[in-house]
Amino acid sequence: MAISFTTKLTWIFALLLILVMTIQVRAQPPPGFINIDCGWKNNSGYVDQALILPYSSDGDYVEGGMNHEMLPEFMAGATNEQQKTLRSFPDGSRNCYTLPSNISKKYLLRATFTYGNYDRLNKTLDGSLFLFGLHIGVNFWEAVNLSNWDPSSTVLKEVITIAPSNFVSICLINFGSGTPFISSLELRPLQDTMYPFVNASVSVSYFQRYRFGNITDIKDYITRYPMDPYDRFWQSWSLTYGKSYSYPWISLNTSNKVESLPGTDVFNVPSAIFQQASTLDTNYSSIQFAVAQGPNLLGNNQKLLPIFHFAEINESNPNRRFDIYAGELLFPGFSPSLFQMDSKYMNGQFLQNSFTYFSLNKTATSSLPPLINAFEVYSLVGMENFTTDSDDVKCIKEVKKYYNLARINWNGDPCSPTEYSWEGLTCDHSKSNQNPNPRIVTVNLSTRGLRGGLAISFMNMTSLENLDLSHNNLTGAIPDYQLESLTVLNLSNNKIDGPIPDYILRRVQAGLLDLRLEGNPVCSNNRDTYCSENNNKKRNTTPTVLIAVIVPAVLISLLVGMCILWKLYWKGNSGDNEDYAMYEEETPLHIDIRRFTYAELKVITNNFQSIIGKGGFGIVYHGKLESGDEVAVKVLMETSIDESTDFLPEVQTLSKVHHKNLVTMQGYCQNKKCLALVYDFMPRGNLQQILRGGDIYSLDWEQRLHIALDAAQGLEYLHESCTPSIVHRDVKTANILLDKNLVGIISDFGLSRAFNDAHTHISTVAAGTLGYLDPEYHATFQLTVKTDVYSFGIVLLEIITGQPPVFNDPHTVHLPNWVRQKIAKGSIHDVADKRLLDQYDASSLESVIDLAMNCVENAAIDRPSMTEVISRLKVWLPALSSDKQSASGTPRRKYSMDSEIPKQFQMMISGVSNEGTSFQSGYTSGLTEISMFSGR
C-alpha cells in the first residue's frame, strides 16, 4: 500500500514538473518579440496568463515620464495586467520609446491606452478635448483621441513599418489638449515578404481586421498569438455584433487543412481562420461592405487599402465566381480555390477616401453566391521625413551618455521632424542622392555644466561645422579632431590644458578653422589670436571714443559727407560704381550664418535690378545664389548699423530660430553703406497680397486654414520652444509669406523681443501695425506672448472674411467689431469671404470665427495660448494635404485625429430573387441588415 502511494506521488510530481516546464517553454517569446507593460514598477516582470508571454517594465526603453495605476474601481474590470498600469508624460512636447530592431526589417508595432482615471481628473468625460499624437519614428502616425471615452476602455493603435536603423521608436506628442500616456507596447517581427506594399516610404496603420464564420466561444472574440504566430488581432464578426447567423446568412466550416501555394502567401493568415467562412442563401447574390470612419472621428480623409481573404471550403459544389467592386470593378470573375488560400488586394493603390462601398457580386455563370473568410483594412502612413544620419545619431547619443545629458530634452530623433529637433543642434536637411538623411552641422552645448574631458565622439561627426562647448568645466587636452568640415571650435572659458594638436593648428593658420580658447589654462603662456579675448571690451568702448573725437568736427564731417554724396551722384550718372568694399564693417556679428559683401549682393541681385517689395526697412530685391537657389535681399541703403534699430534684432533672432514655418535667413551684409538680409525667396508673395488680390488667385477654405495653422505653429515655436521666449510683435498678413506650395512662413522679425520665463512680461514702447495692435499692450506697454495671439486673431479674421483689419463700411471700422455686428444682424455666412463661394463647412466656419474672437479678447488673460490655437485648428483641419509641401520641399502628409470611437465597418447583403429582380430592400428579398462594426 505504501509502495503504491509512493508510486502515485512520484507520478504526480513528474506530471507537475512537466507542466511547469511546458509553461516555462511557452513563456519564452518568439524571437524578436518585445512585450512592454508601461508603468510596471517591478523590474522582474511577469508572465501574461492568457498569452503565456513575458512582459517587462518600460524603464529600459524610455526616459522621463511618471508611473501610475488606474483607479481601484476599474481594476476588477481589467482584462489583462497591461491595462492596470501606465506611464504619463506631463513634461516635454515629445517623449519617445526606443525599441531594438534590425535595420530594414519589417515589424508590427502595437500600442494600447487605458486611462482608468489614473489622475482623478476625469479627463475623458469632462467635456474637454483629450487628444495627443503618435509618431512612428520621425513621421506622424495617428492621434489618440480619448474625448468622451469610457475610462475603463482601451484604445488600440497598430502600425506595420520598416525599421530605419537598429532601433525603431514610437513617440508621444503633446498637442496641449491633455497629458499623453501609454499602457503597453508590443513589437512583432514580420517576414520580409509580408505586406509587400509596406516599404521605406510607406507604413500602414491598422484600421480594422475581421474573421468570419460562426464563432460562439467568447474566449475567441479576439484571435491572436499563438494561433497567429505574428500576434495580429483578428476580431470575430459574429461575436462583435451578436450574430447568430439567421437567414440568409450561412456559416461554412471545414476540418480540412487550407494551404497556400508556394510564393503566393504574402499575408501568412493562419489556416484556422480560413477554415471558417460566411456566405448567403442561394437566393441572394451580393455581399456589400461599407467601410467608414465613426461619428466621433475628427478627420475624414484617410487613404485606405482593403485586403480580402478567400478560400473555398464548400467541397460539394465549388462552382462559385464573383466580381469585386469598390465603385469600379477591381477584380473580375474571381473564383476561390478549394482548400487554398487566396488574398485579393491592390498593391500600393490606396483608396482616395475613407468611406467606400465594396461589393462581392455573383456572376451570371456562378451557381453559388460570394463568400468571405477574413477582411483587413489599413490606412496610409506616409514616411516623408528622413531620420538623422545613423552615424550622427550614434555619435550624439554617445555624447549625451558621456556628459550625462538626461536633463536636456534630447529625446527621439535628433534632427527630424524639424519642429522637434534637439535643443542646441542645427541640422542640414538638404537632400542629396548620396545621403537624403539630415546631418548635424552645429552642436551648441555652451553653459551646460559639462565636466570631464572632451568627448572623442565629435570626431566621427563628419558633417559637423560648428562645435561650441564654451563656458563649461571641461578639462584635459584637446583631442585631435581631424574634421575637414569643422570651421568653428569654441572651447573658451573651460579648464583645458595640454598641447593643441598639429592638425588643428594647421587649419587655424590656414584660415580654415576659427579656434577660441580664451579663459583656459592652455592660454596662460600663449598670446596667439585664439587665446586672446575677442576684443569685445575694446569694441564696446570704440563708439564712445569715436564720438568724443568726432563731436568737435561735426561740421567737417557733414561737409565731407556732402562731398561724397556729390561724388556718388556723378559716378552713378557716369556709369562708374563706387568701391563699397572699403566700407565693409570690420567687426562681424558673432552668428553662424554667411556674411555677404556688397559686391556679392550686386552679383546675386544682378545689380539690384528686380524689385519685389518695399517696406519700412527698405527695398526688397530678387536674387539668385551661386547654387541657383532663389533669394530675397532686403536692403537698407546709406545708413550705419547704429542707426538701424531693426537690423540687429532681426539678424540675431533669425540666426537662432529654425522652424519650417519661420523664414530662413541665408545671410547678411554688414556694410557702413549698406545693411542687408538675405532670405529664402517665397514665390507666392505674402498672404495679404493673395487675400486682397482680386480674382487673380483665390484661396479655398482648406488652403486658408492650412496657412493659419502654419502661422500658428511658427508663433508657437517662438513662444514655447525658444529660450528665452520670443514675441514677434508685428504679426500680420503682410508678414506671412507663402512658398510655391502655399506653406505659410512668418517673416520680418525687426520688432521681435525676447524675455525669460521668469518674467510674465517686459515693458517696451508700443510698436506694430495699425489694426493689429493688442489694446492691452498699447495701453500698458507690457509685452507678453498674448500680444502675438491678438495679432494672430486679426490675421485669422482676415483669412475668414478677406477684409483688411481696418476699412470703411461706410465709416472706418475695426475688423473684430465688423464681424460682431454682422453676426448680430444676420448669420455667420455674412462674414465669410464671398470668393469662397460658400464652399466651406458651416460648423468649421463657426468654430474658426469663435477661435478668432477668443484671440482678440481685450484682456490678454482671456486669450488662448498658441498651443491651444493649434490644437483647435487641428480639430477642424485634422489633415495636412499631401499635395501641399513644406518649405524644404517635403510633401506634407495627411493625418487624422482618430478618436477610436470607433471606425465603423458596415456590412450589408443584397441579392436578386430567382425572378431576376435587382437590388431590393427588406428582410425577405434584398437588403437584410446593416451591421455597425465598431473597432477597437
Side-chain angles (χ1 to χ4, degrees), residues 280-309:
L280 306 171
D281 181 85
T282 54
N283 288 325
Y284 291 79
S285 64
S286 178
I287 298 175
Q288 293 185 348
F289 300 89
V291 178
Q293 297 177 166
N296 202 37
L297 195 63
L298 300 179
N300 61 356
N301 45 11
Q302 288 182 320
K303 296 182 179 181
L304 303 182
L305 192 151
I307 306 167
F308 303 88
H309 299 295

Side-chain angles (χ1 to χ4, degrees), residues 29 60 113 148 208 253 317 640 716 840 865 883:
D60 293 335
F113 310 85
N148 303 313
Q208 201 52 267
N253 62 79
N317 187 359
S640 73
E716 185 201 33
Y840 51 80
S865 67
D883 60 346

Side-chain angles (χ1 to χ4, degrees), residues 97-112:
Y97 282 81
T98 302
L99 310 183
S101 63
N102 294 321
I103 187 169
S104 300
K105 177 71 177 175
K106 199 170 291 184
Y107 289 91
L108 181 151
L109 193 152
R110 181 165 49 240
T112 65

Side-chain angles (χ1 to χ4, degrees), residues 700-917:
D700 63 30
W701 181 240
E702 182 181 357
Q703 289 170 326
R704 294 180 191 222
L705 291 192
H706 275 304
I707 294 169
L709 180 60
D710 292 334
Q713 289 174 156
L715 289 174
E716 185 201 33
Y717 174 83
L718 295 176
H719 295 176
E720 305 295 338
S721 299
C722 292
T723 306
S725 298
I726 294 173
V727 183
H728 187 283
R729 286 212 305 170
D730 199 18
V731 177
K732 56 185 178 181
T733 50
N735 287 340
I736 299 175
L737 306 180
L738 300 171
D739 75 359
K740 64 181 180 179
N741 300 300
L742 291 177
V743 174
I745 311 290
I746 294 178
S747 68
D748 206 337
F749 289 79
L751 298 178
S752 62
R753 294 292 182 270
F755 61 94
N756 295 318
D757 293 339
H759 302 90
T760 58
H761 68 270
I762 58 175
S763 296
T764 68
V765 177
T769 302
L770 181 66
Y772 297 92
L773 291 176
D774 171 8
E776 185 171 272
Y777 168 47
H778 193 267
T780 64
F781 300 155
Q782 293 186 348
L783 180 68
T784 72
V785 293
K786 294 298 182 71
T787 298
D788 283 348
V789 174
Y790 182 91
S791 302
F792 178 81
I794 301 296
V795 168
L796 204 51
L797 289 177
E798 288 186 80
I799 288 172
I800 296 165
T801 65
Q803 299 285 358
V806 178
F807 61 100
N808 292 323
D809 186 47
H811 305 292
T812 301
V813 62
H814 193 205
L815 184 55
N817 293 335
W818 181 82
V819 171
R820 292 187 187 100
Q821 293 166 8
K822 285 288 184 181
I823 293 176
K825 293 179 181 178
S827 72
I828 60 168
H829 302 286
D830 294 334
V831 304
D833 190 341
K834 300 304 181 233
R835 287 182 297 171
L836 289 171
L837 303 175
D838 295 328
Q839 299 299 306
Y840 51 80
D841 178 74
S843 61
S844 170
L845 175 66
E846 183 177 7
S847 299
V848 179
I849 292 173
D850 183 59
L851 173 60
M853 300 309 288
N854 286 163
C855 291
V856 296
E857 291 283 355
N858 285 330
I861 194 172
D862 295 329
R863 301 172 202 154
S865 67
M866 289 312 303
T867 301
E868 293 174 272
V869 169
I870 289 171
S871 296
R872 290 169 68 176
L873 282 174
K874 285 183 176 179
V875 171
W876 309 312
L877 185 58
L880 300 179
S881 300
S882 59
D883 60 346
K884 187 178 181 186
Q885 298 182 343
S886 67
S888 65
T890 303
R892 296 183 176 206
R893 65 169 304 280
K894 294 187 176 183
Y895 60 90
S896 74
M897 304 302 178
D898 177 5
S899 71
E900 282 307 323
I901 292 185
K903 302 172 174 94
Q904 298 171 20
F905 172 59
Q906 299 179 342
M907 180 175 181
M908 56 187 173
I909 59 173
S910 64
V912 266
S913 68
N914 290 333
E915 287 75 23
T917 56

